[in-house]
Amino acid sequence: MFKKTAVSEEELIQRCKEGNLRHQEKLYMHFYSYAMGVGLRYLNDRNDVLEVVNDSFIKVFKSIGSFKNEQNFKPWLRKIVVNTTLDRIRKDLKHQNQSDLEAAEHVSFAPQAIAHLNSQDILKLLDALPYVQRTVFNMYEIDGYNHDEIGGLLQISASSSRVNLSRAKEKLREALRFEQSEYEKNDRSGTYR
Amino acid sequence: MKKMTDRELTDKISQVFDNFEDPTAEQGWQELRKKYPESDTKPVLLWWSAAAAVLVVLGGLWFMTRDTNLADQSIADKKSPSEIEKEKVVSDDSAIVKSDETNANTAAPASQKSGSGISSESLKSSSTYVIDETSIKKNRESRNQGTLSPVQSFEKTAQIDLSRSNKPAIVITDNSLDNNPVVALPAATLSVSNSEVSRDSIIEATGRMLALAPQNLSQDSHTHRVEETPYHSRTSSTKNQLFSVFAGSYFNYSLGSETKLNFGAGFTSDINLGNNLRLTTGLALAKNTLTYNNGVPSSRSAQRAYDAVPSFGLNNGGLLNNSLTTVTKYNASLLALDIPVNVKYLIIPRDNKLYLLAGFSSGTYLTETYSLDYRNYSPAGAYINQGQGIEVKNQLQAFDLARTLNISFGYSANLGKTQNITIEPFLKYPLGGLGSEDLRFGSTGINLKLNFSKFKK
């Protein structure tokens, strides 16, 4: 799951606290995929995600002195990545109008049972959601924020957050259903054989 | 069913992205290094810092050199007014008491004798004050007619001084006294030599003049100027520190002098003496300037300095025989080559950030420039002429061994693994007279030091 490092995670973090560039690089390599996964859940564009992830790691390196050793590093990193992503989304939202936000593309993929979805399938599903709905869905369902927190962070009301979550789920279900029916249709005709 | 699907999908998303694998970490790191250059900039910072230090040193040298050039130029500019003054002297027969024939005859040779240690400028300027034959004749005639006895002259001078109550103290010159015009300190010495004047009358006249001597001497536009140069070097703060460069600004201070802002720069190196102690030594260039607006410096050493200026001693530069000379300004400018030997005490040895430093400075002066402005009055008290920028220059003439006490403390902050920067307030206290004119002056200011230590590999 993670690249193997010669030093333990605690030691790696300790060295990073001392400002050791080599160990900062090791830490980056070790947690890069995880951070990218978090970013990709929120953003469509991979280049944007890389930018967000790198900005997040810069924040990590600069503030790792305040990280307590008894803490778990991954949640701390995830929080930083999510916050950085939200900053990015807020910035992007200013430059988009509402129609852009609501105009979710209808994606096509070969849906299987949910248990067999891979990351690409899920990303296609998420890409089908408008920005706000996707963000609310990720924050609430995956990253554990409540609606008040989401409302505060996205500068929307808690009820609006609930509505967006509900719509996001509905759209995901629709997308799953649609693609499932397409899959079954094609499966019968032998497309996926 | 709906809820089950939602939960199932959410769990799947969490699981997939928690175990997400992305093979582009290397490229990502390269991208990050473009944005996160702090670590990489350390060598760049080192070179920039070194370049900045060199620039500071060069700038300081340029600043000092420029000042010297300006001083030379100002002397040249001041020649023509003195010639104008000479014309005034010659034309104003009634007001001037001129020297007798013997004195006049000795005046010209005296000016020629004065070559040693005197600049050509001062030679030229002194020659303009040689009294011509016609004025000597007039002088003789007036003496024969008994128009003014020396005592009368003093009395008249005193009266005039009353009306010019803000004029500096007066000097009477006469070549009959070993050809050296004696210039008095403000409200201090007065020397008179004239064969026709009794010692008592001189003392009496002196007393009167001292009593009448103005206290505020700073209003005149004529002054003797001296220039100078000191500076300090300091220590560093890193344990493995090998070398430090520094630049500082400071104020020169001396009794009777204006406080002057100056600059200096140099380098130091530390030698480990123990856990807490370092021996710090190095080399520094420092400019020192002093300006005494009340005439010559009032300290004992300054008196000596004044007398030592050859322009006034041998050359008769700018001073008329039998005239009363007031020194209105005295400037010193010294470019010091300072060799400090200090002991540094590290308050927290492990930390190396805070230290106290004390020691002594020795050194010589690459250039010393002393100059003065003056005003001449006849013994009768009439204004004769004035001169500015009468100047004497010395180079590497004196070596002051441990004449300055250095006290300072420093605080360092890291700039990188091998450099740190130190702010170091300091005081240099004079333990004796400095320079060829034995002026006693000190300085206080702040040094900014860039310290370099070994590269850690």
Side-chain angles (χ1 to χ4, degrees):
Chain A
M1 162 173 144
F2 295 117
K3 288 190 173 70
K4 286 181 183 173
T5 53
V7 291
S8 67
E9 200 172 296
E10 291 76 23
E11 196 181 340
L12 200 56
I13 290 166
Q14 189 54 40
R15 294 287 171 83
C16 288
K17 283 182 177 179
E18 293 164 6
N20 188 308
L21 185 64
R22 244 179 50 210
H23 287 87
Q24 286 176 348
E25 184 179 359
K26 280 186 180 176
L27 188 83
Y28 182 91
M29 297 297 177
H30 191 62
F31 289 102
Y32 172 80
S33 293
Y34 177 73
M36 282 296 285
V38 175
L40 284 167
R41 281 196 281 115
Y42 283 86
L43 298 170
N44 290 339
D45 190 303
R46 194 183 158 79
N47 291 328
D48 288 348
V49 176
L50 179 61
E51 207 170 307
V52 162
V53 166
N54 281 348
D55 287 347
S56 302
F57 271 104
I58 290 170
K59 287 178 188 173
V60 166
F61 296 147
K62 286 182 175 175
S63 58
I64 199 165
S66 65
F67 177 77
K68 291 170 187 161
N69 291 338
E70 58 269 20
Q71 278 181 279
N72 194 340
F73 183 76
K74 268 174 75 176
W76 190 65
L77 172 65
R78 184 167 71 174
K79 196 168 184 179
I80 289 175
V81 175
V82 169
N83 286 338
T84 310
T85 308
L86 293 179
D87 288 341
R88 177 64 178 241
I89 289 170
R90 277 195 291 265
K91 202 166 74 178
D92 288 349
L93 285 176
K94 282 181 186 172
H95 300 101
Q96 295 183 36
N97 55 41
Q98 197 58 30
S99 61
D100 291 334
L101 299 178
E102 294 297 336
E105 289 175 24
H106 200 81
V107 290
S108 176
F109 63 100
Q112 302 156 33
I114 289 175
H116 295 103
L117 287 176
N118 62 27
S119 60
Q120 294 305 315
D121 298 333
I122 294 170
L123 286 177
K124 281 181 182 173
L125 274 177
L126 293 174
D127 284 347
L129 297 176
Y131 253 128
V132 178
Q133 291 178 20
R134 178 176 180 168
T135 305
V136 172
F137 175 81
N138 269 307
M139 291 178 81
Y140 187 89
E141 293 291 343
I142 316 290
D143 294 318
Y145 290 85
N146 61 42
H147 287 297
D148 288 333
E149 289 170 328
I150 293 168
L153 287 166
L154 295 184
Q155 295 165 354
I156 57 176
S157 65
S159 59
S160 178
S161 173
R162 282 189 194 92
V163 170
N164 275 290
L165 177 64
S166 172
R167 287 181 184 172
K169 283 179 175 175
E170 187 57 39
K171 279 193 176 160
L172 285 173
R173 281 193 295 268
E174 274 177 30
L176 273 173
R177 268 199 304 270
F178 175 79
E179 296 302 336
Q180 183 66 36
S181 62
E182 287 293 305
Y183 174 78
E184 285 168 1
K185 218 186 288 175
N186 291 329
D187 189 42
R188 264 181 248 123
S189 63
T191 307
Y192 295 125
R193 286 179 188 165
Chain B
M1 178 67 192
K2 203 164 76 174
K3 278 195 175 177
M4 212 176 89
T5 308
D6 287 349
R7 188 73 264 156
E8 207 178 342
L9 182 61
T10 302
D11 289 345
K12 182 64 186 175
I13 292 172
S14 292
Q15 182 210 332
V16 165
F17 287 103
D18 275 352
N19 299 325
F20 187 74
E21 284 291 338
D22 193 309
T24 60
E26 288 286 346
Q27 295 96 302
W29 177 251
Q30 295 307 320
E31 281 297 312
L32 180 135
R33 297 290 286 127
K34 291 176 189 170
K35 280 185 179 178
Y36 184 62
E38 284 90 338
S39 303
D40 258 1
T41 56
K42 282 175 185 171
V44 176
L45 183 66
L46 169 69
W47 287 112
W48 273 109
S49 308
V54 169
L55 279 177
V56 166
V57 172
L58 290 177
L61 284 172
W62 174 80
F63 181 78
M64 291 159 188
T65 312
R66 190 191 62 154
D67 266 9
T68 311
N69 293 339
L70 285 175
D72 289 343
Q73 195 180 346
S74 67
I75 291 163
D77 294 343
K78 285 162 192 164
K79 281 178 199 165
S80 45
S82 64
E83 285 177 8
I84 294 166
E85 291 298 336
K86 179 193 167 189
E87 289 174 14
K88 276 187 187 174
V89 172
V90 175
S91 62
D92 191 359
D93 291 337
S94 62
I96 303 172
V97 178
K98 298 179 180 73
S99 61
D100 63 23
E101 201 170 330
T102 317
N103 290 339
N105 289 335
T106 58
S111 68
Q112 290 162 3
K113 272 194 277 178
S114 62
S116 61
I118 300 170
S119 65
S120 59
E121 287 85 359
S122 61
L123 275 174
K124 286 177 194 168
S125 67
S126 65
S127 67
T128 61
Y129 289 93
V130 175
I131 298 166
D132 61 23
E133 285 298 324
T134 53
S135 64
I136 294 166
K137 282 176 188 171
K138 283 177 184 174
N139 180 33
R140 174 173 272 177
E141 284 167 17
S142 66
R143 277 178 56 196
N144 290 340
Q145 289 164 10
T147 45
L148 273 177
S149 74
V151 174
Q152 286 170 322
S153 301
F154 281 125
E155 287 172 351
K156 198 162 185 179
T157 304
Q159 287 164 2
I160 288 168
D161 272 354
L162 271 175
S163 64
R164 296 164 176 256
S165 60
N166 59 348
K167 293 293 178 287
I170 291 173
V171 172
I172 294 179
T173 62
D174 191 326
N175 282 352
S176 66
L177 277 185
D178 62 44
N179 287 336
N180 290 336
V182 182
V183 186
L185 284 173
T189 320
L190 174 68
S191 300
V192 178
S193 75
N194 190 315
S195 57
E196 295 174 31
V197 183
S198 72
R199 193 167 199 78
D200 290 345
S201 65
I202 293 169
I203 293 167
E204 185 187 350
T206 304
R208 284 184 196 171
M209 292 176 71
L210 285 174
L212 294 166
Q215 298 306 306
N216 180 7
L217 307 175
S218 61
Q219 297 173 18
D220 253 334
S221 58
H222 336 286
T223 307
H224 301 272
R225 206 162 10 109
V226 189
E227 297 165 11
E228 55 146 304
T229 335
Y231 199 59
H232 334 293
S233 67
R234 301 277 158 296
T235 23
S236 50
S237 60
T238 309
K239 216 164 193 176
N240 297 320
Q241 183 183 316
L242 297 174
F243 184 73
S244 303
V245 291
F246 68 89
S249 56
Y250 50 87
F251 290 99
N252 287 124
Y253 64 89
S254 176
L255 189 63
S257 167
E258 287 177 8
T259 303
K260 291 280 189 178
L261 176 65
N262 279 303
F263 302 94
F267 65 88
T268 61
S269 186
D270 280 9
I271 300 165
N272 203 341
L273 294 180
N275 196 26
N276 292 56
L277 292 178
R278 305 278 184 278
L279 181 69
T280 302
T281 187
L283 201 62
L285 274 178
K287 186 175 173 65
N288 297 283
T289 53
L290 300 165
T291 297
Y292 300 88
N293 284 321
N294 292 340
V296 294
S298 57
S299 68
R300 188 169 56 85
S301 57
Q303 163 97 50
R304 183 179 146 194
Y306 186 89
D307 291 341
V309 177
S311 297
F312 312 111
L314 297 173
N315 189 31
N316 203 22
L319 305 183
L320 291 173
N321 299 323
N322 253 357
S323 65
L324 309 176
T325 300
T326 62
V327 176
T328 52
K329 196 171 185 181
Y330 185 87
N331 291 340
S333 174
L334 298 92
L335 178 60
L337 191 64
D338 188 31
I339 306 168
V341 180
N342 298 317
V343 174
K344 182 159 77 175
Y345 175 75
L346 305 173
I347 293 173
I348 306 168
R350 275 185 310 170
D351 190 13
N352 275 329
K353 287 197 168 175
L354 194 62
Y355 63 83
L356 298 173
L357 184 141
F360 298 97
S361 271
S362 305
T364 185
Y365 298 90
L366 299 180
T367 60
E368 296 175 69
T369 306
Y370 304 93
S371 68
L372 59 78
D373 297 349
Y374 64 89
R375 179 174 281 192
N376 281 329
Y377 297 95
S378 72
Y383 167 74
I384 301 172
N385 63 358
Q386 66 182 36
Q388 290 182 327
I390 303 301
E391 190 174 89
V392 175
K393 287 185 178 178
N394 294 326
Q395 288 184 338
L396 301 169
Q397 279 213 343
F399 186 87
D400 297 324
L401 183 64
R403 289 274 185 89
T404 308
L405 174 68
N406 301 324
I407 299 171
S408 64
F409 69 92
Y411 181 77
S412 304
N414 285 336
L415 283 181
K417 283 181 187 171
T418 56
Q419 309 99 44
N420 64 20
I421 194 162
T422 304
I423 292 179
E424 188 184 71
F426 68 87
L427 169 72
K428 287 178 87 77
Y429 182 78
L431 300 174
L434 301 169
S436 60
E437 303 301 335
D438 227 12
L439 296 177
R440 188 171 173 139
F441 62 89
S443 52
T444 182
I446 295 179
N447 281 332
L448 192 63
K449 301 180 79 166
L450 191 61
N451 309 305
F452 301 91
S453 56
K454 278 182 186 169
F455 281 95
K456 292 171 189 168
K457 297 194 175 178

